[in-house]
């Protein structure tokens, strides 16, 4: 899942960056001066007005889910390296917190 989200983020980053750039408005002006009735891709990797929302949504979704999955992967990697289960981790965390309250750490 992480690799898929990373791929989605990478592939949608350039069009996302171009959503409000000078090239976006230049492409709109070029379409009007060329006389097209519908917008066309005249500059590579610059989205059309109808593509702005899907590109922004896919970039934000892939980025946020990718970060969440990465954090979960890092936590599980920590558990593997310390030879703990999730239940043991929470038990140890709770005992550590209680010991800290009593001033034993």
């Amino acid at each position: 899942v992480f690799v898929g989200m990373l791929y989605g983020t990478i592939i949608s980053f350039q069009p996302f960056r171009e959503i409000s750039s000078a090239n976006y408005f230049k492409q709109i002006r070029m379409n009007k001066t060329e006389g097209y009735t519908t917008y066309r891709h005249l500059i590579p990797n610059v989205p059309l007005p109808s593509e702005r929302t899907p590109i922004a949504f896919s970039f934000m979704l892939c980025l946020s889910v990718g970060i969440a999955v990465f954090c979960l992967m890092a936590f599980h990697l920590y558990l593997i390296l310390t030879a703990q289960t999730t239940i043991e981790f929470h038990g140890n965390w709770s005992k550590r917190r209680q010991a800290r309250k009593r001033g034993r750490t």
Side-chain angles (χ1 to χ4, degrees):
V1 173
F2 175 71
V3 174
M5 294 297 112
L6 181 65
Y7 176 74
T9 302
I10 290 170
I11 208 165
S12 63
F13 176 69
Q14 182 66 28
F16 177 76
R17 212 176 67 172
E18 295 287 340
I19 282 178
S20 295
S21 70
N23 284 337
Y24 173 77
F25 296 106
K26 180 180 175 184
Q27 179 172 261
I28 291 174
R29 282 193 305 275
M30 288 171 61
N31 270 290
K32 288 180 181 177
T33 58
E34 298 277 332
Y36 294 121
T37 56
T38 58
Y39 291 111
R40 298 173 191 238
H41 287 278
L42 301 176
I43 302 173
N45 293 324
V46 177
L48 300 176
S50 62
E51 298 170 341
R52 286 179 80 170
T53 302
I55 287 174
F57 180 74
S58 65
F59 176 75
M60 293 295 189
L61 184 69
C62 287
L63 184 64
S64 60
V65 171
I67 289 171
V69 169
F70 177 77
C71 290
L72 193 60
M73 181 183 71
F75 175 66
H76 281 91
L77 184 63
Y78 170 76
L79 290 178
I80 290 170
L81 293 175
T82 58
Q84 299 182 70
T85 64
T86 309
I87 296 171
E88 290 171 337
F89 171 80
H90 286 291
N92 292 339
W93 183 76
S94 153
K95 289 175 187 175
R96 201 175 311 129
R97 191 178 65 188
Q98 288 173 357
R100 204 173 296 136
K101 279 184 181 178
R102 293 182 193 136
R104 294 185 180 175
T105 15

